[in-house]
Amino acid sequence: MTDTAPVAVVTGASRGAGRGIATALAGRGWRVYGTGRTISEAPAGGVAVPLDHRDDAAVGRLFERVEQESGRLDLLVNNAAVISDDLVGPEPFWEKPRELADVLDVGLRSSYIAAWYAAPLLLARERGLIVFTSSPGSVCYMHGPAYGAQKAGVDKMAADMAVDFRGTGVATVSIWMGILLTDKLRSAFDGDPDALTKFAEQAETPEFTGHLIDALYRDPALSEVSGHTVIGAELGQRYGITDDAGRRPPSHREMLGAPRPPSSVVVR
């Protein structure tokens, strides 16, 4: 790690996708600030920042700290989201806990607030990137309306922020992640390694998206994808990237749907 290492903020980095993304970026030479309400250990060469993304002022202080300590910001990964254990139940939304709507606060609104604070730092660089982690739930029914609205919201946020950033060198992209082989998911296959191996053929490691983001940031054609939502597995095919298990995760486009291209219409 050097003083010229690119600097990233990854929200929701205490576990799962965020943890994997932060770890992958750190392994590729980034200085990573990882946030989370319960985060205690930072990726190698990074900084763990305990943070509740409901607290706008605390988010602002995070970016002040990044500027003071690192003097730059090159990348924001908006991944933080409040996900309830009741999310995947089959019941209709009115029979699930009302708290499932919290994902519209920490998940959607929190992404806007983090981007709002990050924008001046990103604009001070010749190149910058904001990534939103998303899923096909933005276009198909997946886990109910709150989850779907949050994913559709961050896809649209990427599209609209790209309009405001046009010509500045800052790009915005939303990435649909696939089925993630998190520690929690792996534990569901305890005692049945063969089933896990078969299931993993359709999944990807949490670090995979971090490798994609690094490649995307370094792509000379980054501006061409700004404002778009992309399928992570297809981005991996484009860059020739495998996940940390050496697999090429499959795209689920045919089964779950495709991202909607942003409209070219701008009304101010």
Side-chain angles (χ1 to χ4, degrees):
M1 189 68 63
T2 69
D3 291 340
T4 59
V7 176
V9 169
V10 179
T11 72
S14 57
R15 59 186 180 275
R19 182 75 182 170
I21 291 168
T23 299
L25 290 172
R28 289 181 175 269
W30 290 77
R31 177 173 173 81
V32 180
Y33 289 80
T35 76
R37 285 187 299 169
T38 59
I39 195 167
S40 58
E41 184 180 353
V47 181
V49 183
L51 180 63
D52 185 342
H53 278 272
R54 292 182 178 89
D55 187 340
D56 293 356
V59 175
R61 290 192 293 272
L62 162 66
F63 288 97
E64 290 175 359
R65 175 181 176 182
V66 171
E67 183 175 25
Q68 292 168 0
E69 292 181 354
S70 297
R72 62 189 289 177
L73 178 66
D74 305 275
L75 168 67
L76 167 64
V77 180
N78 274 317
N79 173 74
V82 174
I83 300 296
S84 168
D85 289 338
D86 296 303
L87 178 70
V88 298
E91 303 85 2
F93 76 90
W94 60 89
E95 293 181 6
K96 292 181 179 180
R98 185 181 59 199
E99 287 72 24
L100 263 66
D102 289 349
V103 75
L104 301 176
D105 184 13
V106 178
L108 184 55
R109 184 182 184 278
S110 62
S111 294
Y112 183 94
I113 297 301
W116 189 87
Y117 280 113
L121 297 179
L122 293 168
L123 289 166
R125 308 291 300 166
E126 294 183 357
R127 186 180 189 81
L129 175 62
I130 298 176
V131 170
F132 301 85
T133 59
S134 187
S135 86
S138 68
V139 298
C140 71
Y141 184 97
M142 184 178 289
H143 308 322
Y147 178 86
Q150 188 263 328
K151 295 308 181 187
V154 296
D155 288 359
K156 185 65 163 64
M157 207 172 282
D160 288 358
M161 287 185 179
V163 174
D164 286 347
F165 279 124
R166 191 171 293 162
T168 67
V170 177
T172 59
V173 178
S174 190
I175 298 178
W176 283 6
M177 298 184 294
I179 302 168
L180 297 182
L181 289 171
T182 61
D183 291 339
K184 183 176 181 180
L185 189 147
R186 290 176 187 275
S187 68
F189 290 89
D190 283 350
D192 195 348
D194 291 339
L196 175 60
T197 298
K198 185 175 181 179
F199 183 85
E201 294 175 358
Q202 302 300 316
E204 60 196 47
T205 60
E207 293 80 12
F208 179 62
T209 303
H211 298 310
L212 299 180
I213 292 170
D214 175 74
L216 189 62
Y217 175 83
R218 301 178 192 281
D219 190 337
L222 173 61
S223 63
E224 296 177 10
V225 75
S226 185
H228 288 259
T229 296
V230 298
I231 297 173
E234 295 177 2
L235 200 62
Q237 294 168 8
R238 170 180 171 180
Y239 292 129
I241 293 174
T242 59
D243 71 8
D244 281 43
R247 294 183 298 263
R248 291 192 182 276
S251 169
H252 300 293
R253 173 186 290 264
E254 291 187 7
M255 179 174 63
L256 298 177
R260 297 183 175 119
S263 170
S264 60
V265 176
V266 176
V267 179
R268 294 191 185 273

